[in-house]
Amino acid sequence: MKKRNPYLDYGKEYWYFFLLGPLLMIAEVVADVKLPAMVGDLINNGALAKDTHYILIQGLKMFGMVLFAITTGVGAAYCAARASIGYGANLRKGMFEKIQKFSFSNIDYYSTGSLVTRLTNDVTQVQNMLNMSMRMMLRAPGMLIGAVVMAFSINHELAIIFVVLIPILIAIVAFIMKLAFPRFSKMQTKIDQVNSIIQEALMNIRVIKSFVREDFEEERFEKTNHSLMNAGLSAFRVVIFQMPVMTILLNISTLFLIYLGGKRVMTATMPVGDLTALITYMTQ
């Protein structure tokens, strides 16, 4: 008999949010991917041709597409929040009930600070992960695939820049994640230690005052707190390099795109609206 997965049960109550959220996010991605192409058409067929009627009609279509993107985006964010927060609440409840059934050996093995971290910080991390997964894990690949497909449909020669850029960006993100994960694990351990010290100090505050051990406890907490700070700085020093490096690569690629596309615009082999759309897809 197949063993039942308890983690799925925590989200069963909010299954419709888990289903509706991704669908709305896909709809928003489709709208976002369509907009640059519509801008290109507006420039090519409206502005360059000085067709006021076309500009008005296309502008209204773009305004409707923007409203559609906003509506679906807000709906997706709401569904993701409801699903992740509800899942987190059920998971926290399940963990608390499980801890109540711990044997004395389990209680001795897991420190109080560690259990507090599991019920608070760790559940919050799972909750945030679900929230971001329902939004970014669909939006980011969707925007990536949509932008590349639309770029190739506009100009397959210039779209080669996208193909070159994407593996480089993936390699940078993978390298940074590989460096950051051990540091964040170490930071999690430090959080456990800080929680344990706080819990011990609060439970034994009368004893500490009776034996005049305030200075010792303050020094002990300061040392552990400083250790947590250093662990956090070590982890985030790695992560902060991701955006500057990706931005530099993006700007360099955009310069290449403008240079090569500009030559085609000057020789009238490509309309300027297509170049504008390609630059927007590069940003996406």
Side-chain angles (χ1 to χ4, degrees):
M1 185 176 178
K2 189 176 180 180
K3 190 175 181 181
R4 192 175 182 179
N5 190 342
Y7 294 104
L8 296 178
D9 293 338
Y10 296 134
K12 185 184 296 183
E13 181 182 351
Y14 303 94
W15 67 269
Y16 41 91
F17 289 114
F18 278 105
L19 179 63
L20 188 59
L23 292 177
L24 290 172
M25 182 54 63
I26 292 173
E28 184 197 5
V29 168
V30 172
D32 287 340
V33 170
K34 287 287 293 181
L35 274 171
M38 296 177 73
V39 173
D41 290 339
L42 178 67
I43 295 173
N44 294 335
N45 304 321
L48 295 179
K50 298 181 180 179
D51 189 342
T52 307
H53 181 264
Y54 185 88
I55 293 175
L56 178 62
I57 297 300
Q58 188 73 352
L60 289 174
K61 289 180 180 179
M62 291 174 59
F63 182 71
M65 189 66 73
V66 169
L67 288 180
F68 178 77
I70 292 173
T71 303
T72 52
V74 171
Y78 175 78
C79 290
R82 282 295 303 270
S84 59
I85 292 173
Y87 185 93
N90 290 339
L91 177 61
R92 194 178 297 110
K93 178 183 177 182
M95 291 178 65
F96 183 79
E97 292 174 352
K98 182 69 175 178
I99 291 172
Q100 301 304 308
K101 300 174 183 177
F102 269 8
S103 64
F104 289 118
S105 60
N106 291 140
I107 294 173
D108 292 336
Y109 180 77
Y110 296 103
S111 66
T112 304
S114 178
L115 293 177
V116 170
T117 303
R118 301 292 178 271
L119 285 169
T120 53
N121 185 67
D122 286 3
V123 173
T124 301
Q125 295 295 334
V126 172
Q127 183 176 297
N128 292 338
M129 183 272 294
L130 281 174
N131 193 349
M132 293 302 295
S133 296
M134 291 181 65
R135 298 172 65 183
M136 295 308 298
M137 284 186 69
L138 283 173
R139 178 178 175 81
M143 293 289 283
L144 174 66
I145 296 170
V148 171
V149 170
M150 292 299 293
F152 270 97
S153 69
I154 294 172
N155 190 301
H156 64 277
E157 293 179 354
L158 293 179
I160 297 297
I161 298 175
F162 291 70
V163 178
V164 174
L165 177 63
I166 290 169
I168 298 174
L169 293 178
I170 292 174
I172 290 172
V173 172
F175 178 71
I176 290 176
M177 289 173 65
K178 184 178 180 181
L179 292 179
F181 274 153
R183 289 171 169 81
F184 279 105
S185 297
K186 184 177 180 181
M187 187 176 73
Q188 198 69 25
T189 304
K190 300 298 181 182
I191 293 174
D192 289 351
Q193 294 175 0
V194 169
N195 284 338
S196 294
I197 289 177
I198 293 173
Q199 185 264 340
E200 291 173 11
L202 291 176
M203 286 186 64
N204 302 290
I205 187 68
R206 294 180 182 277
V207 176
I208 293 170
K209 287 183 175 293
S210 299
F211 288 92
V212 197
R213 301 285 287 177
E214 292 95 333
D215 293 340
F216 173 80
E217 291 297 330
E218 288 178 4
E219 182 180 350
R220 181 183 173 213
F221 176 80
E222 178 64 24
K223 186 183 296 183
T224 307
N225 191 38
H226 193 73
S227 179
L228 171 60
M229 181 188 72
N230 290 334
L233 289 174
S234 175
F236 284 103
R237 280 194 192 105
V238 176
V239 175
I240 60 176
F241 280 104
Q242 178 175 323
M243 283 308 298
V245 172
M246 293 179 70
T247 302
I248 290 172
L249 282 173
L250 176 65
N251 290 335
I252 293 173
S253 301
T254 304
L255 286 174
F256 272 109
L257 186 62
I258 294 173
Y259 172 73
L260 297 175
K263 291 174 67 176
R264 285 167 170 77
V265 171
M266 294 297 291
T267 56
T269 56
M270 185 177 75
V272 66
D274 288 359
L275 178 59
T276 303
L278 284 172
I279 293 172
T280 307
Y281 285 128
M282 176 69 72
T283 306
Q284 288 184 348

